[in-house]
Amino acid sequence: MVQLLCSNIVYEKLKKELSKYQIEIKPDSSLVLVENGYNIPDGKLSVVFDGIDYMNVIKLLITGIREDLHFINTIVGFRDNKFEVIEPIDVFYLEAGPNGITAFTEFNRYSIKETLQYYENVWGIKGFIRINKSQLVNLLHVKEIIPWFNSRYVLRMENNTELEVSKMFSKKLRSTLKI
């Protein structure tokens, strides 16, 4: 069962394809398929897609997110003039900066492609959550959550790095972790 937030044309195409696999369209579903340009609902698992790629969304739903899909299960990072393959489990957090996106592991940092929004959508199911406008954190590597000023939090990672959760993203963190 899914909710659709998309144009009428894409809605009709998705409706037809989803019916082939007995997937119901319900407005109160906790899983939402959101076409680019439409608002992402709060508190629901959302898959954002380009209208032209609606068949990829169908494939995702009927096969699930398979662990053997390379583009979901790994990233290629650039460090010391060489490329390295990195597993999501090894990434502590991702950060957007003036030179692009950086992936931080326990001891290293890597320049990577794509956007934070991309990794938020693809790796959300793996425990990654946005904590401010420029950082995405892997909750599996959070050692402590420290209440801070003005409804904010500081996350102390396993490597003792401290990351601040902005007021805007604190509510989502509390909801996700049930705190």
Side-chain angles (χ1 to χ4, degrees), residues 1-4 18 23-33 61:
M1 168 166 70
V2 298
Q3 178 183 353
L4 300 179
L18 292 170
I23 298 173
E24 294 180 62
I25 299 170
K26 298 261 182 168
D28 58 344
S29 175
S30 59
L31 174 61
V32 186
L33 304 180
L61 287 175

Side-chain angles (χ1 to χ4, degrees), residues 65-88:
I65 297 176
R66 295 177 38 200
E67 291 300 316
D68 61 343
L69 289 177
H70 178 75
F71 72 94
I72 289 176
N73 209 26
T74 60
I75 58 173
V76 176
F78 187 74
R79 181 178 78 89
D80 296 335
N81 293 320
K82 62 183 176 188
F83 292 97
E84 294 182 35
V85 177
I86 310 161
E87 300 287 330

Side-chain angles (χ1 to χ4, degrees), residues 90-171:
D90 295 330
V91 176
F92 279 46
Y93 64 99
L94 301 172
E95 183 173 83
N99 298 325
I101 306 296
T102 304
F104 291 83
T105 61
E106 187 172 8
F107 301 110
N108 298 310
R109 60 176 61 187
Y110 300 88
S111 295
I112 60 171
K113 300 273 185 201
E114 300 299 340
T115 63
L116 284 183
Q117 181 69 45
Y118 171 82
Y119 289 109
E120 186 176 14
N121 292 335
V122 174
W123 285 1
I125 197 164
K126 293 181 179 290
F128 283 77
I129 187 171
R130 180 77 69 119
I131 61 167
N132 56 51
K133 70 177 188 170
S134 62
Q135 293 177 319
L136 192 65
V137 71
N138 185 344
L139 292 173
L140 298 173
H141 292 292
V142 174
K143 182 169 65 173
E144 297 175 335
I145 302 170
I146 304 161
W148 209 241
F149 302 102
N150 296 326
S151 301
R152 296 177 183 206
Y153 293 96
V154 170
L155 303 180
R156 184 168 294 136
M157 307 302 287
E158 290 173 349
N159 63 357
N160 290 320
T161 300
E162 293 184 352
L163 306 173
E164 187 174 327
V165 181
S166 73
K167 188 174 183 177
M168 187 169 107
F169 290 95
S170 291
K171 184 177 180 180

Side-chain angles (χ1 to χ4, degrees), residues 25-69:
I25 299 170
K26 298 261 182 168
D28 58 344
S29 175
S30 59
L31 174 61
V32 186
L33 304 180
V34 183
E35 184 178 4
N36 259 337
Y38 287 77
N39 291 332
I40 299 171
D42 291 332
K44 293 185 176 187
L45 178 61
S46 299
V47 176
V48 180
F49 66 99
D50 287 322
I52 197 162
D53 296 327
Y54 75 94
M55 283 306 295
N56 290 338
V57 175
I58 300 297
K59 288 177 191 172
L60 178 69
L61 287 175
I62 60 172
T63 61
I65 297 176
R66 295 177 38 200
E67 291 300 316
D68 61 343
L69 289 177

